[in-house]
Amino acid sequence: MIRNDKDLSAILVIFGGTGDLTHRKLMPALYNMLLDGLVPENFRVVSIGRRDKTEEEYKKEIRASVEKHSRNKVDESIWSRLNDMITYYRFDFREYDGYLMLKKYLEEIDEKANTKSNRIYYLAVAPEYFETIVHGLHIADMARKESSWSRLVIEKPFGKDLKTARQLNQKLLEVFDEKSIYRIDHYLGKEMIQNIMVLRFSNSIFEAIWNNRFIDNIQISLTEKLGVGSRGNYYENSGAMRDMVQNHIMQILSLVAMEPPVNLKTDSIRTEKLKVIEAIEDITPEFLRENVVFGQYGKGVIDGNPVVGYREEENIPKDSNTETLVAMKLHINNFRWAGTPFYIRTGKRLGTYGAEIVIQFKDLPNILYFKDSNIQEPNLLVIRIQPNVGVFF
Ligand SMILES: NC(=O)c1ccc[n+]([C@@H]2O[C@H](COP(=O)([O-])OP(=O)(O)OC[C@H]3O[C@@H](n4cnc5c(N)ncnc54)[C@H](OP(=O)(O)O)[C@@H]3O)[C@@H](O)[C@H]2O)c1
């Protein structure tokens, strides 16, 4: 049989079907995709977890999460379609014998639902399990097939540093082709982020001034009022730098600073983003001393409510040195940006919640208006990502 990559009939197999990511993001997203008519007819979802619950109980919890987190109100007919698509499958994914049973279970669904043996394996689990699951899929021969496609989806964090990221990459590539691996940054799905390229490359007024001759500096700020909450175990091993900067902020920075790609194909966009990242000045000990500030939140008051410090949060050691705030200044050493600093800020328990990019233009000659009072404010272009979306002057 010839493989048809355009046929999107498939089973979405979620490892971590009882977790936070599935409840808060994946299921509400699936619900909204159904609402928008974006889910193929022959599509099923198998949610894997260890918790002892009936399918009915599982679906009840998912419904509650969709109601809480979906951007659209729950419509009964759409919910009933999602409800019919989902099954809950109990399985400890560290036990390799179980993968053959899972494979059989999925093949039975293929028969009933005509899902064409296509698979999307979504790893909504802690990163230390990525290799375990991929190995399990490999030994049960569930990853590569001649007549159907299989895709692997992984969220951040992708390794802890360059060495571990390369090791993980190597392991994944032993089992899946590069084109079948989707390293997801859900931040890129936000409406305004998707529009940065449109804003820049389809408005002639911007492209001519989008460079170091007209722009004084660029500020990218992703700030949260929330603390670490129940995610202490994860955050303590990550910190703000790994949690926010190396993924979301680097993606935003590259979209803001990149050259126009030759076309809108994924590889062409990736090539231009990579050039930006390669042009970032070297990170040396001197650079760190001069240009980077790390911080950690202490106890205080947010919106009138007392909140504990980071070291008093659940699962955080009393002597933790993990950073919950990063502020840095960096330069992109290419023709477009040499001399224009980029300021990055991100942190938890800050005074405001939001995400925005501020483009600050160079001052005009102070010879006409306000020339005696010196109160001319800089011209700013603000691209707001959240809480509300928009572009402001
Ligand atoms: N939450 C977010 O907003 C978010 C955002 C970006 C990226 N991520 C990434 O997404 C991944 C998942 O995060 P999360 O917050 O959803 O974690 P989580 O709430 O701790 O969920 C972990 C899931 O893994 C399952 N699991 C753990 N060990 C298992 C085993 N041996 N066998 C079967 N299932 C097992 C758990 O099922 P049981 O409890 O039923 O055993 C649970 O469904 C992480 O890599 C995280 O970094 C999360």
Side-chain angles (χ1 to χ4, degrees):
M1 197 201 287
I2 297 173
R3 189 170 105 168
N4 179 0
D5 284 4
K6 297 228 163 68
D7 186 343
L8 299 178
S9 307
I11 306 178
L12 168 65
V13 184
I14 306 178
F15 289 87
T18 51
D20 180 73
L21 184 67
T22 301
H23 275 270
R24 282 197 311 121
K25 306 272 184 202
L26 302 188
M27 290 298 183
L30 260 175
Y31 172 81
N32 284 306
M33 285 177 72
L34 261 174
L35 193 67
D36 293 341
L38 296 172
V39 178
E41 199 179 316
N42 303 325
F43 197 81
R44 292 291 177 274
V45 182
V46 173
S47 276
I48 297 173
R50 281 173 305 183
R51 288 172 223 186
D52 185 11
K53 56 180 84 233
T54 63
E55 192 144 301
E56 210 172 295
E57 285 164 346
Y58 178 72
K59 288 180 177 181
K60 216 167 146 198
E61 286 168 14
I62 293 294
R63 160 126 195 183
S65 296
V66 171
E67 272 173 12
K68 189 161 169 208
H69 299 291
S70 163
R71 64 188 142 86
N72 290 301
K73 238 179 129 226
V74 173
D75 172 280
E76 282 313 321
S77 65
I78 303 290
W79 165 255
S80 127
R81 283 182 59 202
L82 183 59
N83 188 64
D84 293 347
M85 270 181 193
I86 304 173
T87 54
Y88 178 58
Y89 188 86
R90 269 186 80 201
F91 160 51
D92 186 329
F93 52 58
R94 292 167 304 182
E95 289 171 9
Y96 287 130
D97 293 348
Y99 285 83
L100 279 175
M101 277 160 67
L102 173 66
K103 183 182 180 183
K104 204 160 161 278
Y105 178 73
L106 299 177
E107 285 168 355
E108 282 165 15
I109 297 181
D110 281 330
E111 297 265 307
K112 280 185 247 156
N114 198 19
T115 35
K116 314 269 173 69
S117 304
N118 294 328
R119 306 280 182 262
I120 304 165
Y121 299 112
Y122 203 118
L123 307 196
V125 299
E128 61 263 33
Y129 295 124
F130 292 166
E131 283 185 43
T132 311
I133 295 171
V134 169
H135 183 63
L137 295 172
H138 176 55
I139 54 178
D141 200 16
M142 296 168 76
R144 281 196 180 122
K145 283 192 220 102
E146 290 289 306
S147 55
S148 55
W149 51 259
S150 295
R151 293 172 187 159
L152 180 75
V153 187
I154 293 193
E155 285 259 358
K156 69 171 185 185
F158 195 89
K160 198 171 166 64
D161 50 24
L162 184 60
K163 191 169 154 221
T164 52
R166 282 188 169 149
Q167 279 166 357
L168 175 61
N169 214 28
Q170 174 66 31
K171 291 280 174 206
L172 304 186
L173 287 168
E174 285 169 13
V175 181
F176 287 88
D177 313 327
E178 173 58 41
K179 282 213 169 321
S180 306
I181 303 174
Y182 291 72
R183 302 169 190 83
I184 294 286
D185 184 343
H186 66 251
Y187 223 84
L188 299 184
K190 291 188 187 290
E191 191 183 343
M192 200 57 233
I193 306 255
Q194 301 229 327
N195 279 326
I196 293 173
M197 277 177 58
V198 182
L199 177 83
R200 285 190 54 196
F201 302 134
S202 66
N203 286 296
S204 51
I205 52 166
F206 291 129
E207 188 43 27
I209 56 170
W210 208 263
N211 55 50
N212 51 9
R213 272 164 289 148
F214 294 91
I215 295 178
D216 185 79
N217 67 76
I218 294 184
Q219 302 160 37
I220 302 173
S221 308
L222 271 53
T223 57
E224 291 177 74
K225 278 186 175 180
L226 291 176
V228 70
S230 58
R231 301 187 72 216
N233 274 335
Y234 158 73
Y235 197 85
E236 177 58 15
N237 286 313
S238 153
M241 194 74 173
R242 289 191 181 95
D243 189 44
M244 300 300 282
V245 179
Q246 62 88 21
N247 37 50
H248 308 321
I249 291 183
M250 280 300 138
Q251 288 288 351
I252 296 174
L253 177 90
S254 49
L255 285 167
V256 170
M258 70 196 255
E259 296 301 317
V262 287
N263 56 43
L264 292 176
K265 292 191 178 137
T266 314
D267 283 350
S268 310
I269 295 173
R270 178 187 164 278
T271 301
E272 294 308 330
K273 284 176 161 180
L274 186 62
K275 284 190 205 160
V276 171
I277 290 168
E278 282 175 344
I280 292 176
E281 67 188 303
D282 289 345
I283 310 285
T284 61
E286 292 73 44
F287 170 89
L288 291 175
R289 256 194 304 279
E290 296 291 318
N291 297 293
V292 182
V293 176
F294 277 8
Q296 188 187 72
Y297 63 83
K299 67 177 178 186
V301 176
I302 297 249
D303 294 336
N305 301 312
V307 290
V308 297
Y310 179 71
R311 292 179 182 183
E312 284 81 53
E313 299 274 21
E314 196 185 322
N315 296 323
I316 304 298
K318 297 281 165 263
D319 58 353
S320 166
N321 278 330
T322 299
E323 79 288 356
T324 64
L325 173 132
V326 179
M328 70 194 282
K329 172 181 165 189
L330 52 82
H331 285 96
I332 297 172
N333 289 332
N334 61 17
F335 261 56
R336 191 188 280 263
W337 295 116
T340 296
F342 284 70
Y343 295 97
I344 285 167
R345 303 181 195 97
T346 185
K348 291 192 176 291
R349 284 277 186 247
L350 298 178
T352 50
Y353 157 67
E356 63 182 25
I357 305 159
V358 177
I359 318 284
Q360 180 167 330
F361 292 92
K362 290 192 168 162
D363 287 342
L364 292 167
N366 211 359
I367 48 178
L368 293 178
Y369 303 106
F370 314 117
K371 70 178 174 196
D372 301 322
S373 50
N374 205 19
I375 55 164
Q376 182 179 292
E377 296 283 337
N379 280 197
L380 304 178
L381 172 72
V382 179
I383 302 171
R384 190 159 297 148
I385 301 158
Q386 58 191 33
N388 50 346
V389 174
V391 178
F392 309 90
F393 293 91

